[in-house]
Amino acid sequence: MPAPKETIILGIDPGTAYLGYGIIRTRGSQLTLISIGTVELTKVSPHLAKLKKIFERVTTLIRQHKPDVCAIEAPFYGKNVQSMLKLGRAQGVAISAVLLQNLPITEYSPKKVKLAVTGNGNASKEQVAGMVQQILQFDQMPKYKDATDGLAVALCHYFQMARSSLTGQKIYKDWKEFVQMNPTRL
């Protein structure tokens, strides 16, 4: 029997105050924590400088850890349009950094990430952090929950990959790919 394939997954929780990230290695059903952290942006000004720092840090993480794939959390919809615009820019810059390194990237809604990790799509940040810590069995909880959120995104992607390999169901990276692969289902 061949050895299970190893995959390194970078998970990103984009933000304009803190960008959280987590990197895991998967080998079959074995999960190993490689790195977890945050990029603190609270003291970086103006907003364009924050975007530059996000791009540089994501690029550095990719070059340093050489992930096979990236997963990123989609912005949730809020009432403050300016906040949503800034968050969308942060996510877009992180995605650009990933794409420039020729990595596949998948986007997950916050609800899907929470559901995948805790079984509850409305779980609190504390519940997500606790479950991530339990799954990956690390001792030191990071200072900011954005870091465990980034790790949760990586775990969500792992669970999606595992499900698709068990069921033979293809996971599409976006609607365009789905339509291209399933023209008769429209």
Side-chain angles (χ1 to χ4, degrees), residues 48-111:
L48 293 176
K50 290 182 183 202
L51 299 178
K52 181 178 183 221
K53 185 167 182 173
I54 291 169
F55 187 89
E56 290 170 346
R57 188 65 177 117
V58 170
T59 299
T60 299
L61 286 169
I62 292 168
R63 289 181 178 161
Q64 186 176 31
H65 296 287
K66 300 182 181 5
D68 300 295
V69 65
C70 180
I72 192 164
E73 191 171 270
F76 62 92
Y77 297 100
K79 293 180 181 177
N80 186 325
V81 176
Q82 285 299 317
S83 293
M84 286 301 303
L85 179 61
K86 288 179 179 179
L87 184 57
R89 288 177 180 166
Q91 184 204 35
V93 166
I95 289 171
S96 295
V98 171
L99 293 174
L100 196 61
Q101 300 298 314
N102 294 313
L103 282 179
I105 188 165
T106 305
E107 184 179 48
Y108 294 101
S109 72
K111 196 174 219 54

Coordinates of all heavy atoms in Angstrom, one line a residue, residues 48-111:
L48 N -3.4 51.7 2.7 CA -2.6 51.1 1.6 C -1.3 50.4 2.2 O -0.8 49.4 1.6 CB -2.2 52.2 0.6 CG -3.4 52.7 -0.2 CD1 -3.0 53.8 -1.2 CD2 -4.1 51.6 -1.0
A49 N -0.7 51.0 3.2 CA 0.5 50.4 3.8 C 0.1 49.0 4.5 O 0.9 48.1 4.5 CB 1.1 51.3 4.9
K50 N -1.1 48.9 5.0 CA -1.6 47.6 5.5 C -1.7 46.6 4.4 O -1.3 45.4 4.6 CB -3.0 47.8 6.2 CG -3.0 48.6 7.5 CD -4.4 48.7 8.0 CE -4.4 49.5 9.3 NZ -5.5 49.3 10.2
L51 N -2.2 47.0 3.3 CA -2.4 46.1 2.2 C -1.0 45.6 1.7 O -0.8 44.4 1.4 CB -3.1 46.7 1.0 CG -4.5 47.2 1.3 CD1 -5.2 47.9 0.1 CD2 -5.4 46.0 1.8
K52 N 0.0 46.5 1.7 CA 1.3 46.1 1.3 C 1.9 45.1 2.3 O 2.5 44.1 1.9 CB 2.2 47.3 1.2 CG 3.7 47.0 0.8 CD 4.5 48.3 0.7 CE 5.9 47.9 0.2 NZ 6.9 48.6 0.9
K53 N 1.7 45.3 3.6 CA 2.2 44.4 4.6 C 1.5 43.0 4.5 O 2.2 42.0 4.6 CB 2.0 45.0 6.0 CG 2.6 44.1 7.1 CD 2.7 44.8 8.4 CE 3.4 43.9 9.4 NZ 3.7 44.5 10.7
I54 N 0.2 43.0 4.2 CA -0.5 41.7 4.0 C 0.2 41.0 2.9 O 0.5 39.8 3.0 CB -2.0 42.0 3.8 CG1 -2.6 42.5 5.1 CG2 -2.7 40.7 3.3 CD1 -4.1 43.0 4.9
F55 N 0.3 41.6 1.7 CA 0.9 41.0 0.6 C 2.3 40.4 0.9 O 2.6 39.3 0.5 CB 1.0 42.0 -0.6 CG 1.4 41.4 -1.9 CD1 0.5 40.9 -2.8 CD2 2.7 41.3 -2.3 CE1 0.8 40.3 -4.0 CE2 3.1 40.7 -3.4 CZ 2.2 40.2 -4.3
E56 N 3.1 41.2 1.5 CA 4.5 40.8 1.8 C 4.5 39.6 2.8 O 5.3 38.7 2.6 CB 5.3 42.0 2.4 CG 5.6 43.1 1.4 CD 6.2 44.3 2.0 OE1 6.2 44.5 3.2 OE2 6.7 45.2 1.2
R57 N 3.7 39.7 3.8 CA 3.7 38.6 4.8 C 3.2 37.3 4.2 O 3.7 36.2 4.5 CB 2.9 39.0 6.0 CG 3.0 38.1 7.2 CD 4.5 38.0 7.7 NE 4.5 37.1 8.9 CZ 5.2 36.0 8.9 NH1 6.0 35.7 7.9 NH2 5.2 35.3 9.9
V58 N 2.1 37.4 3.5 CA 1.5 36.1 2.8 C 2.6 35.5 1.9 O 2.8 34.3 1.9 CB 0.2 36.4 2.2 CG1 -0.3 35.2 1.3 CG2 -0.9 36.8 3.2
T59 N 3.2 36.4 1.1 CA 4.3 35.9 0.2 C 5.4 35.2 1.0 O 5.9 34.2 0.6 CB 4.8 37.1 -0.7 OG1 3.7 37.6 -1.4 CG2 5.9 36.6 -1.6
T60 N 5.8 35.8 2.1 CA 6.9 35.3 2.9 C 6.4 33.9 3.5 O 7.2 32.9 3.5 CB 7.3 36.2 4.0 OG1 7.7 37.4 3.4 CG2 8.3 35.6 4.9
L61 N 5.2 33.8 4.0 CA 4.7 32.5 4.5 C 4.7 31.4 3.5 O 5.1 30.3 3.7 CB 3.3 32.7 5.0 CG 3.1 33.5 6.4 CD1 1.7 33.8 6.6 CD2 3.7 32.6 7.5
I62 N 4.4 31.8 2.2 CA 4.3 30.8 1.2 C 5.8 30.4 0.8 O 6.0 29.2 0.7 CB 3.6 31.4 -0.1 CG1 2.1 31.5 0.2 CG2 3.8 30.5 -1.3 CD1 1.4 32.3 -0.8
R63 N 6.7 31.3 0.7 CA 8.0 31.0 0.4 C 8.7 30.2 1.5 O 9.5 29.3 1.2 CB 8.8 32.2 0.0 CG 8.4 32.8 -1.3 CD 9.2 34.1 -1.6 NE 8.7 34.6 -2.9 CZ 8.9 35.8 -3.3 NH1 9.6 36.7 -2.6 NH2 8.5 36.2 -4.5
Q64 N 8.4 30.5 2.7 CA 9.0 29.8 3.9 C 8.5 28.4 4.1 O 9.2 27.5 4.3 CB 8.7 30.7 5.1 CG 9.4 30.2 6.4 CD 9.1 31.2 7.5 OE1 8.1 31.8 7.6 NE2 10.1 31.3 8.4
H65 N 7.2 28.2 4.0 CA 6.5 26.9 4.3 C 6.1 26.1 3.1 O 5.8 24.9 3.3 CB 5.3 27.1 5.2 CG 5.7 27.8 6.5 ND1 6.4 27.1 7.5 CD2 5.6 29.0 7.0 CE1 6.6 27.9 8.6 NE2 6.1 29.1 8.3
K66 N 6.2 26.6 1.9 CA 5.9 25.9 0.7 C 4.6 25.1 0.7 O 4.6 23.9 0.5 CB 7.1 25.1 0.3 CG 8.3 25.9 0.1 CD 9.5 25.0 -0.3 CE 10.8 25.7 -0.5 NZ 10.9 27.1 -0.2
P67 N 3.5 25.8 1.0 CA 2.2 25.0 1.0 C 1.8 24.6 -0.4 O 2.2 25.1 -1.4 CB 1.2 26.1 1.5 CG 1.8 27.4 1.2 CD 3.3 27.2 1.3
D68 N 1.0 23.5 -0.4 CA 0.5 23.0 -1.7 C -0.8 23.7 -2.1 O -1.1 23.7 -3.3 CB 0.2 21.5 -1.5 CG 1.5 20.7 -1.2 OD1 2.4 20.7 -2.0 OD2 1.5 20.2 0.0
V69 N -1.5 24.2 -1.1 CA -2.8 24.8 -1.4 C -3.1 25.9 -0.3 O -2.5 25.8 0.8 CB -3.9 23.7 -1.4 CG1 -4.1 23.1 -0.1 CG2 -5.2 24.3 -1.9
C70 N -3.9 26.8 -0.6 CA -4.3 27.8 0.3 C -5.8 27.8 0.4 O -6.5 27.6 -0.5 CB -3.8 29.2 -0.1 SG -4.2 30.5 1.0
A71 N -6.3 28.1 1.6 CA -7.8 28.3 1.9 C -7.9 29.7 2.6 O -7.1 30.0 3.5 CB -8.3 27.2 2.7
I72 N -8.9 30.4 2.2 CA -9.1 31.7 2.8 C -10.6 31.9 3.2 O -11.5 31.4 2.5 CB -8.6 32.8 1.8 CG1 -8.6 34.2 2.5 CG2 -9.5 32.9 0.6 CD1 -7.7 35.2 1.7
E73 N -10.8 32.6 4.3 CA -12.2 32.9 4.7 C -12.7 34.1 3.9 O -12.0 35.1 3.7 CB -12.2 33.2 6.2 CG -13.6 33.2 6.7 CD -13.7 33.3 8.2 OE1 -13.7 32.2 8.9 OE2 -13.7 34.4 8.8
A74 N -13.9 33.9 3.4 CA -14.6 35.0 2.7 C -15.1 36.0 3.7 O -15.4 35.7 4.9 CB -15.8 34.4 2.0
P75 N -15.1 37.3 3.3 CA -15.7 38.3 4.2 C -17.1 38.1 4.5 O -17.9 37.6 3.7 CB -15.5 39.6 3.5 CG -14.6 39.4 2.3 CD -14.7 37.9 2.1
F76 N -17.5 38.3 5.8 CA -18.9 38.2 6.1 C -19.6 39.5 5.8 O -18.9 40.5 5.7 CB -19.1 37.8 7.6 CG -18.6 38.9 8.5 CD1 -19.4 39.9 9.0 CD2 -17.2 38.8 8.9 CE1 -18.8 40.8 9.9 CE2 -16.7 39.7 9.8 CZ -17.5 40.8 10.3
Y77 N -20.9 39.5 5.6 CA -21.6 40.7 5.3 C -22.0 41.5 6.5 O -22.7 41.0 7.3 CB -22.8 40.4 4.4 CG -22.3 39.8 3.1 CD1 -22.4 38.4 2.9 CD2 -21.8 40.6 2.1 CE1 -22.0 37.8 1.7 CE2 -21.4 40.0 0.9 CZ -21.4 38.6 0.7 OH -21.0 38.0 -0.4
G78 N -21.6 42.7 6.6 CA -21.9 43.6 7.7 C -22.6 44.8 7.3 O -22.8 45.0 6.1
K79 N -23.0 45.6 8.2 CA -23.8 46.8 7.9 C -22.9 48.0 7.6 O -23.3 48.9 6.9 CB -24.6 47.2 9.1 CG -25.7 46.2 9.4 CD -26.6 46.6 10.6 CE -27.6 45.5 10.8 NZ -28.4 45.8 12.0
N80 N -21.6 48.0 8.0 CA -20.7 49.1 7.7 C -20.0 48.9 6.4 O -19.1 48.0 6.2 CB -19.7 49.2 8.9 CG -18.8 50.4 8.7 OD1 -18.5 50.9 7.6 ND2 -18.4 51.0 9.8
V81 N -20.4 49.7 5.4 CA -19.9 49.5 4.0 C -18.4 49.8 4.0 O -17.7 49.0 3.3 CB -20.7 50.4 3.1 CG1 -20.1 50.4 1.7 CG2 -22.2 50.1 3.1
Q82 N -17.9 50.8 4.7 CA -16.5 51.1 4.7 C -15.7 49.9 5.2 O -14.6 49.6 4.7 CB -16.2 52.4 5.4 CG -16.6 53.6 4.7 CD -15.9 53.8 3.4 OE1 -14.7 53.6 3.3 NE2 -16.6 54.2 2.3
S83 N -16.1 49.3 6.3 CA -15.4 48.2 6.9 C -15.4 47.0 5.9 O -14.4 46.4 5.8 CB -16.1 47.8 8.2 OG -15.9 48.8 9.2
M84 N -16.5 46.8 5.3 CA -16.6 45.7 4.3 C -15.6 45.9 3.1 O -15.0 45.0 2.6 CB -18.0 45.5 3.8 CG -19.0 44.9 4.8 SD -18.5 43.3 5.3 CE -18.4 42.4 3.7
L85 N -15.6 47.2 2.6 CA -14.7 47.5 1.5 C -13.2 47.3 1.9 O -12.5 46.6 1.2 CB -14.9 49.0 1.1 CG -14.0 49.5 0.0 CD1 -14.3 48.7 -1.3 CD2 -14.3 51.0 -0.2
K86 N -12.8 47.7 3.1 CA -11.5 47.5 3.6 C -11.2 46.0 3.8 O -10.1 45.6 3.4 CB -11.2 48.3 4.9 CG -11.2 49.8 4.6 CD -10.9 50.5 5.9 CE -10.9 52.0 5.7 NZ -10.7 52.8 6.9
L87 N -12.1 45.3 4.3 CA -11.9 43.8 4.5 C -11.8 43.1 3.2 O -10.9 42.3 3.0 CB -13.0 43.2 5.4 CG -12.9 41.8 5.7 CD1 -11.6 41.5 6.5 CD2 -14.1 41.3 6.6
G88 N -12.6 43.5 2.2 CA -12.5 42.9 0.9 C -11.2 43.2 0.2 O -10.6 42.3 -0.5
R89 N -10.7 44.4 0.4 CA -9.3 44.7 -0.1 C -8.3 43.8 0.5 O -7.4 43.4 -0.2 CB -9.0 46.2 0.1 CG -9.8 47.2 -0.7 CD -9.4 48.6 -0.4 NE -10.1 49.5 -1.2 CZ -10.2 50.8 -0.9 NH1 -9.6 51.3 0.2 NH2 -10.9 51.6 -1.6
A90 N -8.4 43.7 1.8 CA -7.4 42.8 2.5 C -7.4 41.4 2.0 O -6.4 40.8 1.8 CB -7.6 42.9 4.1
Q91 N -8.6 40.9 1.8 CA -8.8 39.5 1.3 C -8.2 39.5 -0.1 O -7.5 38.5 -0.5 CB -10.2 39.1 1.3 CG -10.4 37.6 0.8 CD -11.7 37.3 0.3 OE1 -12.4 38.1 -0.3 NE2 -12.1 36.1 0.5
G92 N -8.5 40.5 -1.0 CA -8.1 40.5 -2.3 C -6.6 40.5 -2.5 O -6.0 39.9 -3.3
V93 N -5.9 41.3 -1.6 CA -4.5 41.4 -1.6 C -3.9 40.0 -1.2 O -2.9 39.6 -1.8 CB -4.0 42.5 -0.7 CG1 -2.5 42.4 -0.4 CG2 -4.3 43.9 -1.3
A94 N -4.4 39.4 -0.2 CA -4.0 38.1 0.3 C -4.1 37.0 -0.9 O -3.2 36.3 -1.2 CB -4.7 37.6 1.5
I95 N -5.3 37.1 -1.5 CA -5.5 36.2 -2.7 C -4.5 36.4 -3.8 O -4.0 35.5 -4.4 CB -7.0 36.3 -3.2 CG1 -7.9 35.7 -2.2 CG2 -7.1 35.6 -4.5 CD1 -9.4 36.0 -2.5
S96 N -4.2 37.7 -4.1 CA -3.3 38.1 -5.1 C -1.9 37.5 -4.8 O -1.2 37.0 -5.7 CB -3.2 39.6 -5.3 OG -4.4 40.1 -5.7
A97 N -1.5 37.6 -3.5 CA -0.2 37.1 -3.1 C -0.1 35.5 -3.4 O 0.9 35.0 -3.8 CB 0.1 37.4 -1.7
V98 N -1.2 34.9 -3.1 CA -1.3 33.4 -3.3 C -1.2 33.1 -4.7 O -0.5 32.2 -5.2 CB -2.6 32.8 -2.6 CG1 -2.7 31.4 -3.0 CG2 -2.5 33.0 -1.1
L99 N -2.0 33.7 -5.5 CA -2.1 33.5 -7.0 C -0.8 33.8 -7.7 O -0.4 33.0 -8.6 CB -3.2 34.3 -7.6 CG -4.7 33.9 -7.2 CD1 -5.7 34.8 -7.8 CD2 -5.0 32.4 -7.6
L100 N -0.1 34.8 -7.2 CA 1.2 35.1 -7.8 C 2.2 34.0 -7.6 O 3.2 33.9 -8.4 CB 1.7 36.5 -7.2 CG 2.8 37.1 -8.0 CD1 2.4 37.5 -9.5 CD2 3.3 38.4 -7.3
Q101 N 2.0 33.2 -6.5 CA 2.9 32.1 -6.2 C 2.4 30.8 -6.9 O 2.9 29.7 -6.6 CB 3.1 31.9 -4.7 CG 3.6 33.1 -4.0 CD 5.0 33.4 -4.5 OE1 5.9 32.6 -4.6 NE2 5.3 34.7 -4.7
N102 N 1.4 30.9 -7.7 CA 0.8 29.8 -8.5 C 0.2 28.7 -7.6 O 0.4 27.5 -7.9 CB 1.8 29.2 -9.5 CG 2.2 30.2 -10.6 OD1 1.3 30.9 -11.1 ND2 3.5 30.4 -10.8
L103 N -0.4 29.1 -6.5 CA -1.0 28.1 -5.6 C -2.5 28.1 -5.9 O -3.1 29.2 -6.1 CB -0.8 28.5 -4.2 CG 0.6 28.2 -3.6 CD1 0.6 28.7 -2.1 CD2 0.9 26.7 -3.6
P104 N -3.1 26.9 -5.8 CA -4.6 26.9 -5.8 C -5.1 27.5 -4.5 O -4.5 27.3 -3.5 CB -4.9 25.4 -6.0 CG -3.7 24.7 -5.7 CD -2.5 25.6 -5.8
I105 N -6.3 28.2 -4.6 CA -6.9 28.8 -3.5 C -8.4 28.5 -3.5 O -9.0 28.5 -4.5 CB -6.5 30.3 -3.4 CG1 -7.0 30.9 -2.1 CG2 -7.1 31.0 -4.6 CD1 -6.4 32.2 -1.7
T106 N -8.9 28.2 -2.3 CA -10.3 28.0 -2.1 C -10.8 28.9 -1.0 O -10.2 29.1 0.0 CB -10.6 26.5 -1.7 OG1 -10.0 25.7 -2.7 CG2 -12.1 26.2 -1.6
E107 N -12.0 29.5 -1.3 CA -12.6 30.4 -0.4 C -13.8 29.7 0.4 O -14.6 29.0 -0.2 CB -13.2 31.6 -1.2 CG -13.8 32.7 -0.4 CD -14.2 33.8 -1.3 OE1 -14.9 33.6 -2.3 OE2 -13.9 35.0 -0.9
Y108 N -13.9 29.9 1.7 CA -14.9 29.3 2.5 C -15.6 30.4 3.3 O -15.0 31.4 3.8 CB -14.3 28.3 3.5 CG -13.8 27.1 2.8 CD1 -12.4 27.0 2.6 CD2 -14.6 26.1 2.3 CE1 -11.8 25.9 2.0 CE2 -14.0 25.0 1.7 CZ -12.7 24.9 1.5 OH -12.2 23.8 0.9
S109 N -16.9 30.3 3.4 CA -17.7 31.3 4.2 C -17.4 31.0 5.7 O -17.0 29.9 6.1 CB -19.2 31.1 4.0 OG -19.6 29.9 4.6
P110 N -17.5 32.1 6.5 CA -17.3 31.9 8.0 C -18.2 30.8 8.6 O -17.7 30.0 9.4 CB -17.6 33.3 8.6 CG -17.4 34.2 7.5 CD -17.7 33.5 6.2
K111 N -19.4 30.7 8.1 CA -20.3 29.7 8.6 C -19.9 28.3 8.3 O -19.9 27.4 9.1 CB -21.7 30.0 8.0 CG -22.8 29.3 8.8 CD -24.2 29.8 8.2 CE -25.2 30.0 9.1 NZ -25.3 30.7 10.3

